[in-house]
Amino acid sequence: MTAADADAADPDSTDAADDPIAAMEAATFEAFVGEVAQFRDTVVAPNVSRWESEKRMAPEALREASEIGLLAMEVPTALGGLGMSFAQKCRITEVLSAVSMPFAFSLVNTGNVAARVAQRGTERHRELYLADLMAGRRFGSTALTEPGAGSDFANIATTATPVDGRWRLDGAKAWITNAAHSDVIFCYAQTEPGSRGRGIALFLIDGTRPGFERLPPYELAGGHLIGTGGFRLDGYVAEADDLLSPAGEAFIAALSSVNGARTYVAAMCCAMVEATLASAVRYGAEREAFGKPVIAHQGLAWKLAGVQNRLEAARLLTGRAIEAVTESLRTGDATGAILPAAHAKKFATETAEADIATCIQAMGAEGLRSDHPGGHHLVGARIANYVDGSTEIQTDRIARSLRQLYA
Ligand SMILES: Cc1cc2nc3c(=O)[nH]c(=O)nc-3n(C[C@H](O)[C@H](O)[C@H](O)COP(=O)(O)OP(=O)(O)OC[C@H]3O[C@@H](n4cnc5c(N)ncnc54)[C@H](O)[C@@H]3O)c2cc1C
């Protein structure tokens, strides 16, 4: 089941600020997919190599994306957004990731913040941030990871201390998508040091306020469009209503929402593999070796058939995860989405990395040129193996289910 199928299976296309499974009407959505593909092909595709060589995020392209609503996909229409379902967002991330997963990931991350400000923020937050986020005048991030804590999220050291009805935040965040430009940040902090997940709370941080210091973005092996970097909080004062999710709730809510992120990362991987495979097949049909097209050599064709086979499997697992996440949004219970999301992300990310390399290999040296998609997608697949829980953490989730399943 694809993202589109999952969406088509939901006949109730409604939209309201408090409706967790609102969706854009099916025909309107299909037309919108075409607009997104056009945006991708005219704005993103011609510039990816240049942005990569300049080692930077592309805020100007995100602003252009906002003109067709791409920064407000899940914001309810009543608040100026597109009112899309989760399944529809997954489909859009696929369309964009066929050209650049790091760009798509950056876009989705700032869009997620807009959606959460709409759904979870106060009236003051909506007035201050929502229009700017939807228009790409400000960018958003979600910050869990720190220099000393990644996979072990419960071990974060950023503290939040109550002071005269407000909160003082101190600490540092690292490896945050969009941190190069973002200043509307969903930031997790510890209110009760030593209590692990129990004391973690979620705050909305404004990067234009005193006590916030942006750190220089990272130089990576590739994928700079994702804009990763960090920031320091030194005596940052959050208002009482900036506490969006209190201790006791925030940690569990974070683990619940990550199922959705793992699922769209799996969808992104499917798109990257498909784009690289298509490129390899087209090239292999033209390029000749030993008197015939290289793809007519069985040794090569079978390798690419294996890629297609695993792509089909990744799509099925991703479709199942989309259904499970959609159901969890409807019921408010994320338990049933944990394993489908872990299976989809583990399989899609691991196979993407290996299979994109196989497709590049099938193109010979030509596959390394930056005017083919493989190199950029290989970096994208590498990134996908870390974000929203590493591959090992997905494996660990699955391992923890084994005894319940079989013992
Ligand atoms: C491009 C990029 C963008 C990112 N964007 C964000 C963002 O927007 N917000 C955010 O909060 N974070 C973000 N991250 C951080 C990401 O979530 C972390 O990299 C990830 O959680 C892993 O943490 P770590 O890198 O600190 O690795 P560590 O936790 O230090 O782990 C090191 C290695 O040990 C493995 N490992 C850890 N624990 C176990 C275990 N129990 N069993 C087996 N193996 C284990 C890991 O899988 C990894 O291979 C981003 C990362 C990247 C690369």
Side-chain angles (χ1 to χ4, degrees):
M1 186 167 182
T2 65
D5 294 333
D7 182 59
D10 171 18
D12 297 317
S13 291
T14 56
D15 178 34
D18 59 355
D19 181 354
I21 54 164
M24 194 186 248
E25 189 273 323
T28 312
F29 178 68
E30 283 312 316
F32 183 67
V33 170
E35 262 187 86
V36 175
Q38 196 187 1
F39 163 79
R40 175 196 66 191
D41 294 341
T42 54
V43 177
V44 185
N47 292 303
V48 168
S49 293
R50 180 173 58 82
W51 289 328
E52 269 295 12
S53 65
E54 292 169 359
K55 299 189 174 179
R56 68 177 182 93
M57 219 179 125
E60 71 276 27
L62 291 173
R63 272 190 283 277
E64 217 167 323
S66 79
E67 288 167 18
I68 56 168
L70 274 172
L71 303 187
M73 285 192 275
E74 288 177 302
V75 175
T77 53
L79 296 174
L82 296 184
M84 277 187 191
S85 67
F86 173 72
Q88 289 172 330
K89 177 172 82 169
C90 289
R91 172 95 179 274
I92 298 300
T93 63
E94 279 191 58
V95 172
L96 294 172
S97 299
V99 164
S100 177
M101 178 274 186
F103 178 80
F105 197 78
S106 162
L107 181 145
V108 166
N109 267 258
T110 192
N112 287 347
V113 170
R116 288 171 83 186
V117 166
Q119 289 151 9
R120 303 273 304 281
T122 62
E123 200 46 48
R124 182 178 74 84
H125 295 140
R126 284 200 278 267
E127 270 175 30
L128 269 177
Y129 305 123
L130 190 55
D132 282 351
L133 283 166
M134 291 195 299
R137 288 188 292 269
R138 298 182 76 163
F139 299 106
S141 292
T142 301
L144 297 82
T145 306
E146 300 188 350
S151 306
D152 189 5
F153 166 48
N155 196 34
I156 58 172
T158 296
T159 54
T161 316
V163 181
D164 299 333
R166 299 197 279 180
W167 293 87
R168 177 192 162 117
L169 274 76
D170 295 279
K173 293 289 173 182
W175 288 105
I176 306 305
T177 295
N178 290 340
H181 290 276
S182 64
D183 57 18
V184 184
I185 299 167
F186 282 74
C187 178
Y188 290 85
Q190 179 57 262
T191 62
E192 201 186 324
S195 72
R196 291 189 55 86
R198 196 161 36 83
I200 290 177
L202 172 63
F203 294 86
L204 201 166
I205 296 295
D206 184 328
T208 63
R209 289 174 59 160
F212 177 96
E213 184 195 354
R214 188 187 315 282
L215 301 173
Y218 305 150
E219 279 215 24
L220 306 175
H224 296 89
L225 279 163
I226 209 165
T228 38
F231 58 89
R232 253 195 298 270
L233 298 171
D234 184 6
Y236 178 94
V237 177
E239 304 300 329
D241 71 348
D242 291 333
L243 173 67
L244 293 183
S245 191
E249 289 175 18
F251 184 74
I252 293 165
L255 295 189
S256 301
S257 64
V258 85
N259 296 321
R262 289 172 181 173
T263 300
Y264 64 65
V265 170
M268 290 172 167
C269 286
C270 293
M272 288 191 283
V273 171
E274 186 170 48
T276 319
L277 178 59
S279 178
V281 170
R282 278 194 298 269
Y283 181 80
E286 295 285 320
R287 173 79 172 179
E288 294 208 346
F290 303 99
K292 55 183 176 181
V294 289
I295 202 161
H297 293 283
Q298 193 182 61
L300 193 86
W302 280 25
K303 276 191 183 172
L304 297 182
V307 172
Q308 177 67 21
N309 180 235
R310 287 180 290 278
L311 174 59
E312 297 274 339
R315 281 206 190 287
L316 288 170
L317 283 173
T318 304
R320 191 179 68 153
I322 289 169
E323 281 183 347
V325 169
T326 302
E327 179 63 8
S328 76
L329 293 172
R330 196 182 63 76
T331 61
D333 178 1
T335 321
I338 295 170
L339 276 174
H343 277 292
K345 184 169 191 276
K346 175 178 164 60
F347 188 81
T349 54
E350 283 184 326
T351 55
E353 193 169 9
D355 287 339
I356 289 167
T358 297
C359 295
I360 295 173
Q361 180 71 13
M363 297 176 73
E366 181 69 19
L368 283 178
R369 281 188 189 273
S370 63
D371 44 357
H372 296 298
H376 188 63
H377 287 331
L378 197 54
V379 171
R382 190 87 292 285
I383 288 171
N385 274 273
Y386 297 117
V387 292
D388 297 304
S390 69
T391 310
E392 290 75 17
I393 293 303
Q394 311 315 308
T395 308
D396 197 51
R397 278 258 163 243
I398 296 164
R400 277 192 264 157
S401 74
L402 292 178
R403 279 208 278 177
Q404 204 182 348
L405 278 173
Y406 300 115

